[in-house]
């Protein structure tokens, strides 16, 4: 693999050359994938951290006699109800909702790689803020800023990976990237339990901020890459006011165009229902396991199940789609089938009273439902033209959170406050997976056009090859 030459007709995206930066030849496709995977792992480690019993803790409990035992972790120190505690898992969504369309729009006039670096810098300061928070409202605001920082990364990383992956391995590469989500959450359970239990919950947040610092620095010093269909800021002409007006008009036009893509809409609706369940599983899973099966090491147990199920399921889903032939109808067939059977296994798992039978059934169920990660994001990317992909990924992520795991965590918390039975609560929650399978099944019958080569803004570049090929 050689360095990218300026003006080469073989390349589908241009490399932004900055004389003050390092050599762009460092960016091979595998290195880019590895870099984004580690960053994704750290961002989702944070999700597991705040859900772990070592960090999240348990609230104060009182016996009828009036004798009370002090709580632990966040819940104990800030005296949070289950409803308030659920808000903390969803607060990041406020920042993500506001910042995602902004970052996606800015990517058309500013270098997307630098935008990722800016987002990671915000994320790092927000994680530090969580570690030094003084109460419910201060940590809630910091969780919102975590969402702002994450917004740049989630909307731009997947298009970079899909664009630079070998054509016959795109689903597998996306699967590798999204494998870091369950793996990161699971490691967060374990990490949060160990660090929070040994040194206190604040150190868990401060340490994850330190982990992100090298990647923030790398994002600012390395020569940045551009995306196909994206115009670099150095080539943009006109006054600042004209460009601002153009960006405002453009984002509304892009959103309108996105809403007209039936395949994309059906895919996101199924993803919303799916994420409603997964989000609540990831947040309440350890507590439900502790209550139902009296797991003394609930963090470790759910962490292990999620790591194995996430890695095996996500990688398998991506590779299977590539073997079937990576098309949108095949992706929908895979999505609907694995989600349906995964729902059966997960529902059955919570029906058993024996903890070991539960572990086996729930593990199989998680492997099946995590097999969706590569295919669902493949559809989101290939249902739209290249210049819309950052917005498509941003809108997808915002939608699955604002209508999925954002309401599900507090709703399940409120439901549990009223029902008082974690087995019943988890069974009710799991039925939503059948809805997700049904929605994705509809997508099989919608006529499709893979828009991988369509780029209305840069038609001359539509058939160019991978930027890392010579």
């Amino acid at each position: 693999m050689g360095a990218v030459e300026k003006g080469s007709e073989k390349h589908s995206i241009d490399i932004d050359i900055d004389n003050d930066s390092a050599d762009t030849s460092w960016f091979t496709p595998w290195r880019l994938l590895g870099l984004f995977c580690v960053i994704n792992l750290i961002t989702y480690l944070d999700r597991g951290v705040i859900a772990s019993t070592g960090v999240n803790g348990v609230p104060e409990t009182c016996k009828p006699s009036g004798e009370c035992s002090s709580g632990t972790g966040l819940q104990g120190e800030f005296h949070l109800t289950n409803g308030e505690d659920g808000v903390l898992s969803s607060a990041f969504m406020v920042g993500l909702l506001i910042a995602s369309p902004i970052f996606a729009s800015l990517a058309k006039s500013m270098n997307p790689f630098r935008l990722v670096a800016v987002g990671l810098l915000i994320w790092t300061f927000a994680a530090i803020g969580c570690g030094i928070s003084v109460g419910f409202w201060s940590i809630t605001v910091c969780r919102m800023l975590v969402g702002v920082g994450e917004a740049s990364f989630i909307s731009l990383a997947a298009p970079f990976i899909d664009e630079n992956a070998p054509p016959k391995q795109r689903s597998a590469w996306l699967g590798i990237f999204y494998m870091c989500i369950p793996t990161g959450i699971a490691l967060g359970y374990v990490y949060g339990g160990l660090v929070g239990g040994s040194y206190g919950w604040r150190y868990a947040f401060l340490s994850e901020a330190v982990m992100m610092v090298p990647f923030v620095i790398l994002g600012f010093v390395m020569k940045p890459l551009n995306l196909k269909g994206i115009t670099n800021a150095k080539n943009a002409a006109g006054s600042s006011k004209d460009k601002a007006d153009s960006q405002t008009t453009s984002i509304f036009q892009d959103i309108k165009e996105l809403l007209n893509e039936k395949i994309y809409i059906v895919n996101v609706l199924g993803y919303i229902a799916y994420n409603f369940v997964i989000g609540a599983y990831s947040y309440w899973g350890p507590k439900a396991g502790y209550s139902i099966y009296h797991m003394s090491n609930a963090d470790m147990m759910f962490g292990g199940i999620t790591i194995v199920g996430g890695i095996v399921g996500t990688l398998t889903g991506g590779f299977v789609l590539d073997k079937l032939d990576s098309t949108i109808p095949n992706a929908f067939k895979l999505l609907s089938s694995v989600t349906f059977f995964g729902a059966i296994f997960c529902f059955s798992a919570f029906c058993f009273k024996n903890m070991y039978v539960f572990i086996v059934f729930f593990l199989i169920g998680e492997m099946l439902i995590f097999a969706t990660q590569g295919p669902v994001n493949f559809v989101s990317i290939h249902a739209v033209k290249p210049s819309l992909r950052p917005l498509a990924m941003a809108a997808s992520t915002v939608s699955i959170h604002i209508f999925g795991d954002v309401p599900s965590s507090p709703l399940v918390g409120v439901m549990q406050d009223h029902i008082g039975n974690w087995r019943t609560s988890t069974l009710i929650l799991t039925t939503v997976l059948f809805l997700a399978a049904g929605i994705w099944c509809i997508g099989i019958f919608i006529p499709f056009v893979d828009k991988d080569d369509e780029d209305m803004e840069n038609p001359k570049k539509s058939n160019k090859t991978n930027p890392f090929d010579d």
Side-chain angles (χ1 to χ4, degrees):
M1 297 181 184
V4 179
E5 297 179 4
K6 184 177 179 181
S8 172
E9 293 300 321
K10 296 172 64 181
H11 302 152
S12 62
I13 61 174
D14 298 322
I15 304 299
D16 179 29
I17 304 298
D18 182 345
N19 292 329
D20 294 330
S21 302
D23 191 343
T24 47
S25 62
W26 186 88
F27 281 112
T28 64
W30 278 104
R31 285 176 178 173
L32 189 69
L33 176 64
L35 179 69
F36 283 159
C37 282
V38 176
I39 294 172
N40 205 27
L41 198 69
I42 296 174
T43 57
Y44 278 90
L45 177 110
D46 173 76
R47 305 280 181 86
V49 164
I50 198 168
S52 68
T53 54
V55 171
N56 193 271
V58 294
E60 179 184 68
T61 56
C62 294
K63 298 179 180 178
S65 61
E67 181 183 352
C68 297
S69 59
S70 59
T72 61
L74 278 168
Q75 272 201 294
E77 184 169 337
F78 295 152
H79 306 290
L80 306 179
T81 64
N82 283 331
E84 289 174 330
D85 192 28
V87 169
L88 291 184
S89 75
S90 306
F92 80 97
M93 188 58 221
V94 176
L96 193 69
L97 173 64
I98 295 171
S100 289
I102 295 175
F103 278 115
S105 178
L106 288 175
K108 287 191 172 185
S109 60
M110 299 177 66
N111 186 274
F113 198 83
R114 291 287 189 253
L115 288 175
V116 170
V118 171
L120 296 181
L121 180 63
I122 296 172
W123 188 95
T124 301
F125 280 114
I128 294 172
C130 290
I132 61 175
S133 57
V134 295
F136 172 69
W137 286 109
S138 62
I139 195 170
T140 299
V141 171
C142 290
R143 297 309 297 172
M144 293 178 186
L145 291 175
V146 165
V148 172
E150 190 178 324
S152 67
F153 183 70
I154 55 94
S155 60
L156 297 169
F160 267 122
I161 292 171
D162 181 81
E163 191 167 303
N164 297 308
K168 294 184 179 180
Q169 297 177 20
R170 285 174 171 172
S171 297
W173 277 44
L174 287 172
I176 292 171
F177 176 70
Y178 285 102
M179 173 194 71
C180 297
I181 294 178
T183 306
I185 292 173
L187 289 175
Y189 290 155
V190 178
Y191 165 82
L194 292 175
V195 176
S198 300
Y199 303 101
W201 63 268
R202 296 181 185 275
Y203 284 93
F205 290 114
L206 295 174
S207 298
E208 69 182 25
V210 173
M211 295 180 202
M212 188 64 80
V213 170
F215 302 99
V216 174
I217 296 172
L218 188 64
F220 281 110
V221 301
M222 294 300 296
K223 281 185 178 179
L225 301 176
N226 282 333
L227 284 169
K228 180 167 63 177
I230 301 298
T231 303
N232 189 267
K234 291 186 178 183
N235 299 322
S239 66
S240 297
K241 183 180 184 301
D242 289 340
K243 286 187 283 186
D245 291 341
S246 176
Q247 277 187 348
T248 302
T249 303
S250 176
I251 191 170
F252 282 111
Q253 290 175 340
D254 289 346
I255 291 173
K256 183 179 179 180
E257 186 173 351
L258 203 59
L259 293 175
N260 287 329
E261 297 288 353
K262 293 180 181 178
I263 289 177
Y264 176 80
I265 296 300
V266 169
N267 187 54
V268 172
L269 288 175
Y271 205 6
I272 288 170
Y274 166 92
N275 213 55
F276 186 94
V277 180
I278 297 302
Y281 274 175
S282 67
Y283 194 73
W284 293 114
K287 287 191 177 183
Y290 179 83
S291 174
I292 299 172
Y293 299 103
H294 308 291
M295 296 179 182
S296 58
N297 57 344
D299 283 344
M300 299 290 186
M301 186 65 69
F302 271 83
I305 292 174
T306 306
I307 286 176
V308 175
I311 291 176
V312 175
T314 306
L315 289 179
T316 302
F319 283 109
V320 168
L321 181 57
D322 283 332
K323 290 294 183 183
L324 290 174
D325 189 13
S326 297
T327 64
I328 289 176
N330 282 345
F332 275 126
K333 290 174 185 177
L334 188 60
L335 286 169
S336 57
S337 59
V338 297
T339 303
F340 178 77
F341 287 107
I344 291 176
F345 275 94
C346 287
F347 188 91
S348 301
F350 286 109
C351 292
F352 290 105
K353 293 183 178 180
N354 184 283
M355 182 180 72
Y356 299 103
V357 177
F358 162 79
I359 291 172
V360 172
F361 272 72
F362 194 66
L363 176 59
I364 296 172
E366 288 235 310
M367 285 191 289
L368 287 166
I369 60 180
F370 276 119
T372 60
Q373 290 302 302
V376 72
N377 287 285
F378 174 88
V379 175
S380 288
I381 290 173
H382 290 268
V384 301
K385 65 184 183 182
S387 60
L388 280 180
R389 287 175 180 174
L391 181 62
M393 296 308 297
S396 172
T397 304
V398 168
S399 298
I400 65 173
H401 288 314
I402 196 170
F403 299 114
D405 59 1
V406 165
S408 72
S409 293
L411 281 176
V412 170
V414 171
M415 179 171 65
Q416 175 60 22
D417 284 338
H418 284 81
I419 295 176
N421 186 310
W422 274 113
R423 190 187 301 276
T424 302
S425 296
T426 52
L427 287 172
I428 294 172
L429 172 67
T430 304
T431 59
V432 181
L433 283 174
F434 292 105
L435 174 62
I439 294 172
W440 277 327
C441 186
I442 295 172
I444 299 172
F445 306 100
I446 301 176
F448 85 102
V449 175
D450 191 320
K451 301 188 177 183
D452 183 47
D453 291 328
E454 181 181 339
D455 189 352
M456 299 303 293
E457 295 178 1
N458 296 281
K460 293 182 180 180
K461 294 183 180 181
S462 61
N463 295 317
K464 294 181 183 179
T465 58
N466 191 293
F468 295 105
D469 295 335
D470 282 327

